[in-house]
Amino acid sequence: MTEDLLERTGPRTSVYGPSKQAVVFDLDGVIVDSFDVMRQAFTTAYAEIVGDGRAPFEEYGRHQGRYFPDIMRIMGLPPEMEGPFVRESQRLAHQVPVCDGVPVLLAELRARGLRLAVATGKSGPRARSLLDLLGLLPAFDAVIGSDEVPRPKPAPDIVLRALERLGTPPEEAMMIGDAATDVRAARGAGVDAVGATWAIDDQAALLAADPDAVLDRPRELLTLLPAPYP
């Protein structure tokens, strides 16, 4: 582990150790850099449903990690925005890039025998469709959306469901996310919370949530996991 990573990890040490057997990932901002497409979809949905005026995407971005209907409720926007937002997100899905270094990381994790899941604020069908389009769906043992659990993030339900699907106890898992909601969901589920900063510009909210470790590049995750067998 580099000195910089040690400094950013803070006093907790449970995040590192040979007992880690599973990794649960958030999707947007961790596996894919979908924010440009989100902005386009949100702007179109706002214009169609609300009308004139500047779409408040910056405020929307502050709620990343939550389920879209919950964000609409928090922002006081019409729930009907979900229809055109999903339509445009799917139309533009081919423009969503995979974060640099993620495919290599996933391949290495699979080679080491770790079990992998996605727990996302998106709906399950949308998440699986996007990952399939990008050729990443086979890398994951489970992909779970916010519409497939009783309570979406920041509640721990989606992380607990992922652990159930993976057959992994909380102490043997960690969650990688780019938002405070991911940290809160991980903590509620009893798994280590690791912050990912490689696709976000404003790290303040994530760091304020006090994750157990903070990673600037995907490959740094390997320093927190069991070494491969010789």
Side-chain angles (χ1 to χ4, degrees), residues 39-56:
R39 181 185 294 275
Q40 294 179 64
F42 185 83
T43 300
T44 298
Y46 187 87
E48 285 189 18
I49 302 301
V50 178
D52 295 336
R54 184 172 180 271

Side-chain angles (χ1 to χ4, degrees), residues 101-114 116 136 139 222:
V102 164
V104 173
L105 172 67
L106 296 176
E108 177 63 23
L109 295 176
R110 299 296 302 193
R112 294 189 184 192
L114 275 84
L116 308 179
L136 296 179
L222 298 175

Side-chain angles (χ1 to χ4, degrees), residues 58-80:
E58 288 73 18
E59 182 182 355
Y60 174 84
R62 290 196 290 271
H63 302 295
Q64 278 304 303
R66 292 180 179 269
Y67 192 29
F68 189 88
D70 287 349
I71 300 177
M72 295 299 95
R73 176 180 52 79
I74 292 169
M75 293 180 65
L77 291 174
E80 291 79 11

Side-chain angles (χ1 to χ4, degrees), residues 34-172:
S34 54
F35 296 111
D36 285 345
V37 165
M38 278 188 190
R39 181 185 294 275
Q40 294 179 64
F42 185 83
T43 300
T44 298
Y46 187 87
E48 285 189 18
I49 302 301
V50 178
D52 295 336
R54 184 172 180 271
F57 183 76
E58 288 73 18
E59 182 182 355
Y60 174 84
R62 290 196 290 271
H63 302 295
Q64 278 304 303
R66 292 180 179 269
Y67 192 29
F68 189 88
D70 287 349
I71 300 177
M72 295 299 95
R73 176 180 52 79
I74 292 169
M75 293 180 65
L77 291 174
E80 291 79 11
M81 280 184 60
E82 184 177 15
F85 178 83
V86 169
R87 182 198 71 222
E88 290 300 297
S89 296
Q90 292 175 331
R91 184 179 69 83
L92 299 169
H94 65 283
Q95 298 182 15
V96 175
V98 179
C99 293
D100 289 344
V102 164
V104 173
L105 172 67
L106 296 176
E108 177 63 23
L109 295 176
R110 299 296 302 193
R112 294 189 184 192
L114 275 84
R115 296 181 63 76
L116 308 179
V118 167
T120 175
K122 278 183 167 60
S123 72
R126 282 184 61 208
R128 290 186 286 272
S129 175
L130 178 60
L131 288 168
D132 188 37
L133 175 68
L134 298 173
L136 296 179
L137 188 58
F140 297 100
D141 300 290
V143 176
I144 303 163
S146 290
D147 61 325
E148 297 170 329
V149 291
R151 299 176 301 166
K153 291 183 283 186
D157 302 35
I158 196 167
V159 183
L160 293 170
R161 180 68 57 82
L163 296 179
E164 179 184 355
R165 294 276 302 276
L166 297 177
T168 304
E171 64 272 16
E172 294 182 4

Side-chain angles (χ1 to χ4, degrees), residues 188-203:
V191 309
D192 291 311
V194 178
T197 67
W198 51 79
I200 58 174
D201 295 323
D202 186 357
Q203 304 175 12

Side-chain angles (χ1 to χ4, degrees), residues 203-226:
Q203 304 175 12
L206 174 65
L207 298 180
D210 194 26
D212 297 293
V214 179
L215 309 178
D216 294 323
R217 292 174 294 278
R219 63 181 176 82
E220 291 177 351
L221 176 60
L222 298 175
T223 67
L224 302 179
L225 294 166

